[in-house]
Amino acid sequence: MLSDQQFQECLNELQAPRVDDWELFLESHGFRIYRKTMPGSALYEYKALGHYPDVPSSLLADVFTDLEYRKTWDKNMVGFKRLEHDVIHYTTKFPWPLSPREYFYELTVHEPKQGHFCVSSQTVGKTRGADGTLQNMFSSNNYKSMVTLVPQSMAYSPAPSSSNLLSVPSLSGAAASTVSLPTPGSGSGKVFKLPPSNKSVRVEEYRQDVVMVPSEDGKGCYVWFHYFDDPKGHIPSSIVNWATKSGIPGFLKGIQDACLKRAATTGSSGPKMIIRDRPGTPDSGIEA
């Protein structure tokens, strides 16, 4: 999940975007989507900054993390399962003739200030450092620090942002893989067995962070979104570029429509309470 400092930087970026070292990839549905290559890799990380004028932050957070509801509006979703130790197994379609991709990841949802949401999801196993190298995420006992992201008194002003990425496990083959998940402050770890892949390609690196901030009138929200994953396989860059240019706008519009449909169905602008144990969802931007 984002640190206190990273969360503050996201709020600052919603006022004054920092994109000097980012390439403007496309503009769609009130968002500007930027990209840049990951250190030591030919892969891109993405950052989107934008505004939904008709979707409150609480409603967006609710729909964003509701996988059961997502089955009704995301045509790329294959399915998901909640596994032990709060690990989520999520499978998504890729364009034919590519195999579906599967993710094993954890989610944190925080509301550090009323109406301010931070949703982070990350693959279990490893993390990518600032220099681009992969590191074993579970090599120490400092598994995760669940901290409040910002003080209750912190003020904000709108506009979107960037973030540091982490990611990844390396597990493949017919046999089940094993990852040790140390518990906070303990010397021992729980052992979690990842099921064997079944006709899907296992994504080993994935990180997504989303910050949602209420707009001034309370009717909409400002969004800072950061995403990276390594879809694996030898996919030509021309195919990836084509797919992301069509997939990202489709997702931005799709989740907005899903929010408006839920609001119309429930007769309110949003849920009374966010369910904090819901899993986040990988959004590769690649449309099947």
Side-chain angles (χ1 to χ4, degrees):
M1 91 186 162
L2 296 178
S3 67
D4 293 1
Q5 180 179 351
Q6 289 169 336
F7 189 84
Q8 180 64 66
E9 289 172 356
C10 293
L11 297 183
N12 293 341
E13 240 198 308
L14 285 168
Q15 302 176 33
R18 293 178 298 136
V19 293
D20 290 345
D21 56 344
W22 292 76
E23 169 194 356
L24 179 59
F25 184 54
L26 58 90
E27 296 184 58
S28 177
H29 298 95
F31 282 78
R32 286 193 166 197
I33 296 96
Y34 300 87
R35 71 177 185 179
K36 70 176 179 179
T37 55
M38 282 286 289
S41 169
L43 298 168
Y44 286 100
E45 59 179 302
Y46 294 87
K47 175 169 70 173
L49 310 172
H51 175 225
Y52 285 123
D54 50 3
V55 177
S57 58
S58 60
L59 177 59
L60 180 60
D62 181 55
V63 171
F64 199 90
T65 57
D66 188 343
L67 291 188
E68 288 293 344
Y69 182 48
R70 183 161 183 156
K71 291 177 183 178
T72 68
W73 62 269
D74 187 350
K75 68 179 182 181
N76 291 326
M77 180 179 179
V78 176
F80 78 99
K81 292 181 181 179
R82 290 184 175 89
L83 307 176
E84 56 184 315
H85 307 317
D86 299 319
V87 174
I88 305 304
H89 178 214
Y90 182 90
T91 308
T92 186
K93 297 176 186 176
F94 262 45
W96 185 90
L98 301 176
S99 299
R101 262 51 179 179
E102 65 176 0
Y103 299 74
F104 291 88
Y105 65 94
E106 292 180 287
L107 167 83
T108 57
V109 182
H110 288 269
E111 186 179 5
K113 184 177 179 180
Q114 185 173 6
H116 293 59
F117 295 94
C118 178
V119 180
S120 296
S121 49
Q122 176 181 338
T123 44
V124 296
K126 295 183 181 178
T127 182
R128 183 178 287 272
D131 61 355
T133 59
L134 294 179
Q135 304 158 4
N136 190 335
M137 183 177 178
F138 304 119
S139 60
S140 73
N141 292 330
N142 298 321
Y143 167 44
K144 258 190 182 177
S145 90
M146 296 296 187
V147 296
T148 301
L149 298 179
V150 289
Q152 196 71 8
S153 60
M154 189 181 76
Y156 76 93
S157 288
S161 154
S162 98
S163 141
N164 293 346
L165 338 163
L166 306 153
S167 349
V168 26
S170 49
L171 333 143
S172 59
S177 302
T178 300
V179 174
S180 177
L181 302 179
T183 54
S186 72
S188 61
K190 301 174 182 177
V191 174
F192 175 70
K193 292 183 178 180
L194 296 176
S197 292
N198 191 13
K199 295 190 180 178
S200 297
V201 175
R202 185 164 294 167
V203 174
E204 297 179 342
E205 293 188 68
Y206 155 67
R207 169 87 188 206
Q208 178 177 264
D209 295 295
V210 188
V211 172
M212 309 165 191
V213 178
S215 56
E216 300 88 337
D217 60 9
K219 297 179 180 179
C221 66
Y222 296 91
V223 181
W224 177 93
F225 177 92
H226 179 269
Y227 184 90
F228 170 77
D229 81 5
D230 179 355
K232 308 280 285 184
H234 302 290
I235 306 175
S237 58
S238 60
I239 298 297
V240 173
N241 289 340
W242 168 80
T244 51
K245 281 187 175 179
S246 61
I248 292 177
F251 172 75
L252 292 173
K253 184 63 166 60
I255 196 168
Q256 181 182 28
D257 290 345
C259 287
L260 296 177
K261 183 177 180 180
R262 167 158 283 182
T265 301
T266 59
S268 65
S269 60
K272 294 181 179 179
M273 182 179 295
I274 294 299
I275 299 176
R276 299 209 170 30
D277 63 351
R278 283 183 181 160
T281 55
D283 298 307
S284 64
I286 295 182
E287 204 170 56

